Amino acid sequence: MSDIKLVIALLCKDLRQAVEATLKPEHFRLSKFNENTDNTVIELWKILYQLSSCAAKEIPGNILLNDYDDVTFVKLYFAYLQYPVPEFYTLSLDQGSSRELLIAFAWLLATQNALTVAIDKKIASSILAEEFTDNHIQKTVNITNWEKTLSTKAQLNRIIHVCGQINYNIKAILELVNEKLKLTTKAHAASINVCSLPHLSVSEMAITKRLALNKSDSDQHRIQQLHELASVLDTHVKWETKRHIFFDWMVTVIEEQKKSQIETPNCKKSDIELSKFVCLLRHIVKKNIHNLKHEDKISSDLSYRSDCVSRLLRMQSEHTEAETWLSGVKLQLESEEAMTKKQMDRLVIELKKMLKLIPHCVQI
């Protein structure tokens, strides 16, 4: 029990550093027993929105719209991910199950790795990103009317010229990379025998050199940012090594949820909330279909195939009742075909016998 307390405290620290969450370990304990004191439901909706808003930016196109409130946004994102719990979509901000929200939060961490995505975005927007190359830059080139009017020979000459520029830029990039490696190796070699001094990157070495010569406020600010980022990475690495303890504890939460699922009359408010969400989904689908029909060119984002696996495809690997029925029909069809083949063979033999008797009938 002490381990899970430490792990949940570590998770709360990781969430606070990643998305500035205000979730506390006490909220997890209250959620397990489906209690709503200390604004537990509000805090869980808030962290679901923060993680969903980070992960939803990776979705291409306008599948999710930001024109809705936080709760609706979270439901739309979970619907896009095909979260298979209808009870989740009946929840609202003022009337919600904290245990149901906790299970959805754990599902988001386990299946979408939402916390790691939030950490990656935080690092990518920090000064540490200067050490790496962004491989996701997509630059669109617009062809001008003047270029369209060029002759074929002129276009080929322009292509050759552009290829030459690209080759020159590639060589320049390789030279810069080699120079950076040399400087990094030189920095590492100079600091390898120094006690308690880690290997430094080029930008960190530049900061160290400036601090030794002339300390400025901007360098102090950069050092403070580096310390904060180092703490973020250290906390997240510790969480990754301990996350299995949290998910083992979530098994007990699911067991509590199963125990509490007794037959109770349907809540009218839950039905109304679910009906509202279904109507919203129908409206969004109709709107997207209408836009597709009236657009001359389909956006490249819409042609992107989602990494989210369809629930139908996931169910194909399971032994369902439909598959049992199909296999039974297949066996029956095979037996009928075998019986038909035997009867055809008998019929052929009888016909051959009749053909042999035809000459005798003619003679008579």
Side-chain angles (χ1 to χ4, degrees), residues 86-202:
E87 291 79 9
F88 172 77
Y89 304 102
T90 65
L91 305 178
S92 60
L93 189 61
D94 55 349
Q95 182 182 1
S97 170
S98 57
R99 188 190 294 128
E100 197 71 62
L101 294 174
L102 177 61
I103 294 173
F105 167 76
W107 181 87
L108 189 63
L109 290 185
T111 60
Q112 305 302 317
N113 213 8
L115 184 52
T116 302
V117 172
I119 293 291
D120 291 343
K121 289 186 177 297
K122 187 178 183 67
I123 298 300
S125 60
S126 66
I127 59 175
L128 281 181
E130 299 175 0
E131 296 292 326
F132 306 98
T133 303
D134 191 358
N135 296 324
H136 302 287
I137 298 176
Q138 296 181 355
K139 186 177 180 180
T140 58
V141 179
N142 297 323
I143 301 176
T144 61
N145 295 327
W146 173 76
E147 291 175 333
K148 293 179 181 179
T149 57
L150 293 176
S151 63
T152 304
K153 185 177 180 180
Q155 290 180 2
L156 290 175
N157 291 332
R158 182 172 177 78
I159 291 172
I160 293 172
H161 174 69
V162 172
C163 289
Q165 286 182 330
I166 292 173
N167 290 330
Y168 176 79
N169 292 335
I170 291 175
K171 291 179 181 179
I173 290 171
L174 291 177
E175 290 177 359
L176 289 174
V177 170
N178 292 330
E179 185 68 21
K180 181 180 178 180
L181 290 175
K182 290 178 183 179
L183 291 174
T184 305
T185 305
K186 187 177 180 180
H188 290 177
S191 61
I192 193 170
N193 295 323
V194 180
C195 182
S196 301
L197 183 64
H199 288 314
L200 303 177
S201 64
V202 177

Side-chain angles (χ1 to χ4, degrees), residues 30-46:
L30 295 172
S31 300
K32 179 178 180 180
F33 301 103
N34 205 22
E35 297 181 8
N36 190 21
T37 55
D38 198 16
N39 294 327
T40 304
V41 171
I42 296 176
E43 291 296 331
L44 286 171
W45 275 120
K46 188 184 297 183

Side-chain angles (χ1 to χ4, degrees), residues 210-269:
R210 287 199 302 269
L211 286 175
L213 298 177
N214 185 17
K215 188 180 296 185
S216 62
D217 294 337
S218 61
D219 292 333
Q220 288 286 357
H221 180 64
R222 288 173 68 89
I223 290 176
Q224 181 64 27
Q225 287 181 323
L226 289 174
H227 280 303
E228 293 175 357
L229 291 171
S231 176
V232 170
L233 293 174
D234 182 62
T235 303
H236 189 63
V237 169
K238 290 179 180 178
W239 156 250
E240 289 293 329
T241 59
K242 300 289 186 180
R243 58 181 293 175
H244 64 279
I245 300 176
F246 172 76
F247 290 111
D248 290 340
W249 176 76
M250 283 302 304
V251 174
T252 62
V253 176
I254 295 175
E255 290 175 354
E256 289 288 336
Q257 178 72 359
K258 290 180 179 179
K259 291 179 183 178
S260 64
Q261 286 179 346
I262 58 176
E263 292 186 2
T264 55
N266 293 330
C267 181
K268 188 175 181 181
K269 290 184 178 180

Side-chain angles (χ1 to χ4, degrees), residues 336-351:
E336 292 289 341
E337 288 179 348
M339 186 179 298
T340 304
K341 186 177 180 182
K342 289 181 180 179
Q343 292 177 355
M344 289 292 293
D345 293 339
R346 288 181 183 177
L347 182 61
V348 169
I349 294 172
E350 292 293 334
L351 288 173

Side-chain angles (χ1 to χ4, degrees), residues 12-20 119 122 231-232 235:
C12 291
K13 182 180 178 181
D14 201 8
L15 290 170
R16 183 170 61 254
Q17 292 177 337
V19 293
E20 299 181 357
I119 293 291
K122 187 178 183 67
S231 176
V232 170
T235 303

